Every structure is written in C-alpha cells, then in structure tokens.
Amino acid sequence: MKTVVANLKMNMNLEDCKNYLDKTKGKIDTGLNVIICPSFLYLNLFKSDEFKVGAQNCYKQKEGSFTGEVSPYQLKSINVDYVILGHSERRKIFNENDKLIAEKVIETLKNNIKPIICIGETTSERDLKKTDIVIKKQLLEALKYIDSDMINDIFIAYEPVWAIGTGNIPSLNDIEEIVNYIKEIVNNKYNKNIKVLYGGSINNENIQEIITLNNIDGVLIGNASLNPDGFIKLLDQIIETI
Ligand code: PGA
C-alpha cells in the first residue's frame, strides 16, 4: 500500500482545520495509507477512521523541564502513531543536527511511534555533486541507535532541500536512483527493506509520474496538501495510477 504523508506545517487555525476535515470527510480512499500531520494543537481534532495522524516533530526525552517541547511519550498517550523528524526546516531554522535527530528517532521508536525521517541535500551540496555523501551520512547518523528489527517501523523521506516549496523537482531518474541508493545502504547494513518516500514540490501535475517510480513507497506533500479539494484530487490521481 502506498503511503501519503501530508505535512501541514504551521498552517491553519482551528476554524480552518474544521473546514479541512469537513471537506475531506468520506473522500480519502482506504486503499492508501494517508498520514496527516497538523500542528500539535490539532492532533486530537484530526483523529479519524479514514487516515492516521502524525506529529511534525517531538523531543528526545520522556518528560521533564523542557519548556515548549512535546515528547513521544506524550504523543503516544493521545494515540499518535507517526512523527516527522529531521525535516529540513527543523535542521535549518531550529539548528537540529544529526545527533539530536538520532536521539529523537530512538526515543520515538521506544514509544511505539513510527518516525518519518527526512534527509536531503542542499543546492550547494548538489552543485558540488555531494548528494550521495550527504544522503548516506544523514541516513546512517539518524539510524545510529536503532536495531534491525526496528527498520520495518521507519520511513525515510528523501527531500532535496532545493526542491521543497520551490516548484523544482529532481529528474525522475535521479529520484529513482536516490531511492534505490537509500534502500541499498539500509539493506547492506541491516538486511531489511526500508520504506522510502519522496518529498519536495509534489503537485497535481507531477504526482502520477512520481508515484509510479520503481521502488517508491509513497510521497510526502507540503503545499499541495493544504487545500482540501486539491489534496483529495491528488489522492484520487494516485489511486487511478497505481
Ligand atoms: P512542498 O513541501 O511539498 O511544499 O515542497 C514538502 C515538505 O516540506 O515536506
């Protein structure tokens, strides 16, 4: 089953969220594993039988004096089953490094929450032809504390930083190669097949060619998930294609 993660980021107030839920109700195909990730505030509101909910971040500790943070332990207590970790906005704006992300990954798994780990190269890294090196480093660092029996519960989202919110995407061939490269690295180390998603400027025009790429397990969508009607159309396109 293909996975579609909708990263709503820091968008929508309470009324917008209610409207979003009204408009999508009864329209999400059960043939897809859809995970919608609203702000922490609205996780409970988004509970649904049609899709799963995920958080956009969490902290690495169970509880304590960490003002403003939310832990996997707390997320699990309201039945959140997924969390996005290491998104490039967290890495860049909030200075998250590979070590912190690795610590969050293991804490998340210990609480039976599935991490969706984002990795991807910047424009300059791409220009310097360092994509492979960057991907491998971010990947292995993020998985540093995990055991092979945890691989099945992890998603890797390949999100080139230069493709996020820009309207630019890598060539289909490049996406396919990187997805295979990620799977190969994990296979060599853990002897398991890891699920890999692509994210970055997915829209109604390019979704069909991306979702049919060999080996891809799904997609992570930002902007194109914000409009409920557009998002439903996008999901329908996936269903028609696969
Ligand atoms: P985008 O965002 O689809 O708007 O490019 C993707 C992401 O940030 O995960």
Side-chain angles (χ1 to χ4, degrees):
M1 190 186 284
K2 298 284 184 194
T3 293
V4 180
V5 181
N7 179 8
L8 303 181
K9 307 193 181 180
M10 196 180 73
N11 292 296
M12 310 207 288
N13 68 7
L14 179 60
E15 207 174 306
D16 299 329
C17 289
K18 286 181 178 164
N19 181 43
Y20 189 94
L21 289 166
D22 274 354
K23 291 217 163 141
T24 51
K25 200 173 173 55
K27 295 185 182 154
I28 294 180
D29 199 290
T30 49
L32 292 173
N33 179 34
V34 175
I35 305 163
I36 301 186
C37 306
S39 297
F40 286 125
L41 280 177
Y42 309 124
L43 285 167
N44 259 332
L45 183 77
F46 269 75
K47 288 283 166 55
S48 162
D49 296 338
E50 294 177 61
F51 57 85
K52 320 246 175 51
V53 283
Q56 297 172 15
N57 180 33
C58 66
Y59 196 51
K60 62 172 180 172
Q61 301 280 0
K62 180 181 175 191
E63 55 196 352
S65 303
F66 304 103
T67 303
E69 293 296 314
V70 174
S71 74
Y73 169 70
Q74 294 173 313
L75 290 172
K76 195 64 198 178
S77 74
I78 60 161
N79 296 316
V80 168
D81 293 323
Y82 296 86
V83 64
I84 298 173
L85 292 175
H87 190 280
S88 68
E89 287 150 18
R90 302 272 348 150
R91 292 179 192 260
K92 190 169 168 225
I93 307 168
F94 302 99
N95 295 320
E96 292 198 6
N97 58 28
D98 287 332
K99 182 172 180 287
L100 177 63
I101 294 161
E103 289 166 341
K104 291 181 177 195
V105 167
I106 189 66
E107 187 64 18
T108 297
L109 286 160
K110 277 190 196 157
N111 283 279
N112 288 319
I113 297 179
K114 298 180 170 74
I116 301 159
I117 306 168
C118 302
I119 59 176
E121 79 285 3
T122 61
T123 312
S124 58
E125 288 162 346
R126 179 179 183 241
D127 291 347
L128 291 167
K129 306 218 176 316
K130 286 187 169 166
T131 300
D132 285 9
I133 299 169
V134 171
I135 295 292
K136 188 171 187 177
K137 180 172 179 292
Q138 290 181 349
L139 178 65
L140 292 177
E141 290 278 319
L143 301 180
K144 192 153 94 184
Y145 303 119
I146 69 131
D147 299 327
S148 67
D149 60 2
M150 297 172 174
I151 292 288
N152 289 342
D153 289 331
I154 299 173
F155 287 91
I156 301 296
Y158 170 51
E159 299 210 300
V161 180
W162 54 270
I164 295 175
T166 59
N168 301 321
I169 62 166
S171 71
L172 297 175
N173 200 33
D174 282 356
I175 297 176
E176 204 167 69
E177 268 185 18
I178 300 284
V179 169
N180 284 332
Y181 178 61
I182 292 168
K183 292 197 178 219
E184 208 178 279
I185 293 169
V186 174
N187 222 320
N188 286 342
K189 180 154 185 203
Y190 299 96
N191 207 11
K192 287 264 169 72
N193 178 37
I194 198 157
K195 292 182 279 295
V196 183
L197 317 174
Y198 169 78
S201 290
I202 289 187
N203 57 36
N204 274 289
E205 274 74 60
N206 59 28
I207 184 63
Q208 289 189 311
E209 52 191 20
I210 291 173
I211 202 69
T212 44
L213 287 176
N214 199 20
N215 248 346
I216 210 157
D217 297 288
V219 286
L220 196 160
I221 303 170
N223 274 326
S225 67
L226 291 179
N227 177 300
D229 299 329
F231 182 52
I232 295 296
K233 276 196 196 122
L234 202 145
L235 296 180
D236 288 347
Q237 284 206 65
I238 297 177
I239 287 291
E240 279 165 27
T241 318
I242 55 176

